[in-house]
Amino acid sequence: DAGVTQSPTHLIKTRGQQVTLRCSPKSGHDTVSWYQQALGQGPQFIFQYYEEEERQRGNFPDRFSGHQFPNYSSELNVNALLLGDSALYLCASSLPGQGGKTEAFFGQGTRLTVV
Amino acid sequence: QKEVEQDPGPLSVPEGAIVSLNCTYSNSAFQYFMWYRQYSRKGPELLMYTYSSGNKEDGRFTAQVDKSSKYISLFIRDSQPSDSATYLCAMSGVYNFNKFYFGSGTKLNVKP
């Protein structure tokens, strides 16, 4: 089982640019959530995708958008990058509360640096 | 006020010590409680998962949830240098599937 895979692992972008991060969920999982983790902080929920639709969203501006594909993989897009967008971006996959369980498994993350 | 509060540490203990890590929360709707371990520059790894109140034990790890006090704990027995990492508590409600609220993490250092 490959687990949750994210690409790329590291990325450097310039302010104002756009970036796309990618995530493949754990085998058998159909729900993907994205989190932003600033240095020294806990992850903050960005949004969640299930059945190719955004189901929940955290307190992030519209510059953050996403997509889920029929194979359950997902993309996170960030437009008009700001210095404050520099963080570790984590993807988590899970089953949507099946059997009352909401265990989520995280990928290794993409470290985005905005300069 | 943050919904989940966690002492950032760092916490330094000798090998073999019992470690106690704690989080408090304010949202009474939280029903699922998790502990994750995160090594430097890696993704969080699920350690323990608990639904509602009570205790759960898995090897050297014990998770406790006290919903009346809005307080959760993780105990690590016989701590090892390999346990040195940041420990994150996370929680979610029944209807917000997989929308986790994380603490800021406690950095643990177990000295040989």
Side-chain angles (χ1 to χ4, degrees), chain B residues 12-34:
Chain B
S12 188
V13 301
E15 183 176 354
I18 296 175
V19 176
S20 173
L21 303 167
N22 310 293
C23 287
T24 59
Y25 63 95
S26 57
N27 190 341
S28 58
F30 289 149
Q31 295 283 343
Y32 298 95
F33 304 91
M34 284 72 61

Side-chain angles (χ1 to χ4, degrees), chain A residues 11 13 15 36-39 64 81-89 110-115:
Chain A
L11 204 51
K13 288 288 190 178
R15 273 181 301 175
Q36 179 195 66
Q37 186 177 23
L39 198 62
F64 290 77
L81 284 167
L82 304 174
L83 294 179
D85 295 332
S86 296
L88 181 68
Y89 287 84
T110 293
R111 183 161 298 281
L112 172 65
T113 301
V114 182
V115 298

Side-chain angles (χ1 to χ4, degrees), chain B residues 33-84:
Chain B
F33 304 91
M34 284 72 61
W35 286 95
Y36 285 86
R37 177 174 62 194
Q38 186 174 30
Y39 293 110
S40 181
R41 298 184 174 272
K42 300 291 186 182
E45 170 195 8
L46 181 65
L47 281 177
M48 299 288 285
Y49 165 91
T50 309
Y51 171 68
S52 196
S53 286
N55 296 353
K56 185 174 182 179
E57 187 173 323
D58 184 1
R60 297 184 296 113
F61 298 92
T62 299
Q64 289 185 351
V65 175
D66 181 350
K67 291 189 66 183
S68 63
S69 301
K70 296 189 178 68
Y71 187 89
I72 69 171
S73 301
L74 177 71
F75 297 95
I76 306 174
R77 290 182 298 280
D78 187 26
S79 56
Q80 302 294 310
S82 58
D83 294 328
S84 298

Side-chain angles (χ1 to χ4, degrees), chain A residues 5-21:
Chain A
T5 58
Q6 292 186 244
S7 63
T9 54
H10 295 87
L11 204 51
I12 299 175
K13 288 288 190 178
T14 303
R15 273 181 301 175
Q17 284 188 317
Q18 179 264 345
V19 67
T20 297
L21 311 181

